[in-house]
Amino acid sequence: MPTKPPAYHITHKIRQTRRISRKSIAFLFLLAGSALVALTALLFAWMADFALETNAELVQKYPWFAWVALPFGLPLIVWITRRFAPYTSGSGIPQVLASLALPYGANKTRLIRLRETLLKIPLTFLAMCAGASVGREGPSVQVGAAVMSAWGAWCKKHGFAFRGMQENDLIAAGAAGGLAAAFNAPLAGVIFAIEELGREVMLRWERQILLGVLAAGFIQVAIQGNNPYFSGFSGGALDNMLGWVLGCGLACGIAGGLFGRTLYLGATAFAPAKWREHIRRHPLITAALIGILLAAIGTLYQGKTYGTGYHEAAQALRGIHEAPAGLAVAKWFSTVLSYWAGTPGGIFTPSLTIGAVLGERIAVLTGLAQGTHVLVLLCMAAFLAGATQSPLTSAVVVMEMTGGQNLLFWLLIACIFASQVSRQFSPAPSTTPQAHASNDRWNKADRSEA
């Protein structure tokens, strides 16, 4: 067999080096996009924390603040949203799922255009300042998708990278990276990408997508440190753990299913027939009336229903919080009303708070003396699973957020059971485009294509 000349080997090595170099450059651009997603999520987190602290201080100092901020602030936010960024209302996850389902073309990314989507950050900030029961994690998903999609389009236009990646790949990487960075939970971002983003469309799970998701989460960890979102939890399995898991899963599956169904149907489904057209035609008046209801609920519960409810959930996990009777129901209604108002804002963290307070109430009703915080953990994951019908994401995200790795097995059982129970009450998860399409803020063309 003839030996190949040395020149051939040199040429082959040069080609290999060039191939490796191109791959390295493409990976560096992917890391740059993930860094942009993580830094945007970090800015969003800082703004959200500032908004929550500001609202708490103002409500405590001026008891009348909520009665002004909510009835007047929500209509203003809704007007800005409808006028300048109509696709930023709600959590943002339905818009991302709809974008993934839209056919490739000029309108593929119209639901996540960067300029409009970035307005979701200040609008959610204003909603939190006013006292709406919203979170930032769902919005971080939409913003992350918009940032990575825009970055990929720019890189493709100038021939730098991503030539072999489809638009869906970039959207999925940015969306899941936004969740990973928002929760400081890289693994949860990967699970979310696989379970939630791939629910209704086929995605090519290339290594680049998963690396982009993990990179966004790890960059956030590198900046903020490897600290759980809810710190201070420490607990193990209880006696008769399976019974507690199934009981919490049943209660949270029912509550979460009704929660998702209520969001799915919208305000008009529960209003008298003669009011429904008025609600559709006068969204600003509707938002003002919802603001009055939110202020009344918040006043009754001393401001505990405003914002995400992070402090209530965090204290419940440490076993140092005593929730007043009915707080879970009040937070449930406050979150639904905030969603109905049409303001940008997510449901993830409010859902975790509802589950936490519900877990406390179950412990009180059953007379559990030790281990209340374990029921809190189970119900946080189970209610989120009931609301989103994404059991794997819910279990893993709560595990990473709390550092409850030793209870992951029980979290998975509770979430799977709650998700199955939820399906008996809600025809679709609260995060799907079909659920969001019941809202009149989406026009008919978008609904039909998504």
Side-chain angles (χ1 to χ4, degrees):
M1 186 174 180
T3 304
K4 294 180 180 180
Y8 171 83
H9 294 288
I10 295 174
T11 304
H12 182 66
K13 290 294 183 182
I14 292 175
R15 289 175 180 174
Q16 282 185 324
T17 303
R18 288 177 177 175
R19 194 179 302 118
I20 294 172
S21 177
R22 285 196 298 268
K23 289 182 179 181
S24 299
I25 292 173
F27 182 65
L28 289 176
F29 277 100
L30 178 65
L31 288 181
S34 298
L36 289 174
V37 172
L39 291 174
T40 304
L42 182 62
L43 173 64
F44 200 175
W46 179 85
M47 292 178 63
D49 291 341
F50 180 79
L52 296 174
E53 292 173 3
T54 300
N55 175 264
E57 292 176 2
L58 291 174
V59 168
Q60 185 177 9
K61 189 175 182 179
Y62 306 107
W64 48 263
F65 172 77
W67 291 92
V68 175
L70 286 166
F72 292 97
L74 294 190
L76 176 61
I77 296 169
V78 171
W79 180 83
I80 296 173
T81 301
R82 295 173 69 90
R83 177 67 177 83
F84 299 103
Y87 298 128
T88 63
S89 60
S91 73
I93 296 177
Q95 290 92 318
V96 172
L97 295 178
S99 296
L100 291 171
L102 285 172
Y104 287 96
N107 292 324
K108 174 70 172 176
T109 60
R110 71 173 179 271
L111 300 179
I112 54 170
R113 289 194 181 105
L114 182 62
R115 184 179 299 178
E116 294 183 8
T117 303
L118 287 179
L119 283 176
K120 198 178 188 84
I121 296 177
L123 290 172
T124 304
F125 170 81
L126 291 175
M128 289 181 171
C129 285
S133 180
V134 296
R136 62 175 172 83
E137 290 75 22
S140 295
V141 171
Q142 186 180 7
V143 172
V147 169
M148 185 65 85
S149 177
W151 173 250
W154 184 83
C155 289
K156 286 182 178 180
K157 180 180 178 180
H158 293 85
F160 293 142
F162 306 131
R163 292 180 181 179
M165 291 186 71
Q166 296 180 356
E167 193 64 45
N168 274 1
D169 301 335
L170 294 168
I171 293 173
L179 183 80
F183 281 127
N184 208 15
L187 180 58
V190 173
I191 301 299
F192 172 78
I194 296 172
E195 182 180 38
E196 185 71 19
L197 300 182
R199 189 192 295 269
E200 297 182 2
V201 296
M202 291 295 294
L203 292 175
R204 302 183 310 163
W205 292 115
E206 295 186 359
R207 182 175 58 181
Q208 287 178 300
I209 299 179
L210 302 182
L211 287 176
V213 176
L214 289 172
F218 288 144
I219 290 170
Q220 190 78 348
V221 170
I223 296 173
Q224 288 192 310
N226 190 20
N227 303 312
Y229 187 77
F230 292 104
S231 60
F233 174 81
S234 178
L238 305 175
D239 294 335
N240 190 26
M241 190 63 177
L242 181 59
W244 289 114
V245 167
L246 295 179
C248 291
L250 178 62
C252 292
I254 295 172
L258 293 174
F259 179 80
R261 183 174 179 81
T262 305
L263 296 180
Y264 171 84
L265 293 174
T268 54
F270 299 92
K274 60 181 181 181
W275 293 359
R276 292 174 184 172
E277 187 61 26
H278 181 83
I279 291 174
R280 294 189 186 99
R281 296 179 61 181
H282 301 282
L284 302 187
I285 296 176
T286 301
L289 294 175
I290 287 176
I292 294 173
L293 292 175
L294 291 174
I297 296 173
T299 301
L300 182 63
Y301 283 91
Q302 300 177 337
K304 294 183 181 295
T305 59
Y306 299 141
T308 61
Y310 171 85
H311 294 292
E312 285 71 25
Q315 290 180 342
L317 280 170
R318 300 187 191 105
I320 58 176
H321 181 256
E322 293 183 5
L327 180 58
V329 176
K331 187 64 177 175
W332 190 98
F333 276 107
S334 294
T335 306
V336 169
L337 289 171
S338 298
Y339 187 90
W340 283 355
T343 61
I347 63 169
F348 265 68
T349 311
S351 294
L352 294 174
T353 302
I354 296 170
V357 180
L358 186 58
E360 278 191 301
R361 185 51 43 184
I362 292 174
V364 171
L365 294 176
T366 56
L368 181 65
Q370 299 292 331
T372 299
H373 58 307
V374 175
L375 296 192
V376 169
L377 182 75
L378 290 173
C379 287
M380 287 174 68
F383 184 86
L384 183 62
T388 63
Q389 294 180 13
S390 300
L392 297 181
T393 300
S394 301
V396 173
V397 87
V398 170
M399 179 269 291
E400 283 196 281
M401 290 173 70
T402 61
Q405 289 84 350
N406 60 319
L407 292 174
L408 178 59
F409 173 75
W410 298 111
L411 289 174
L412 285 170
I413 294 178
C415 289
I416 292 171
F417 184 52
S419 182
Q420 293 299 319
V421 173
S422 171
R423 288 187 173 91
Q424 312 310 311
F425 297 88
S426 180
S430 59
T431 55
T432 60
Q434 291 83 355
H436 197 82
S438 64
N439 195 309
D440 291 327
R441 294 185 300 276
W442 283 36
N443 61 46
K444 294 180 180 179
D446 298 324
R447 297 179 198 175
S448 62
E449 292 191 40

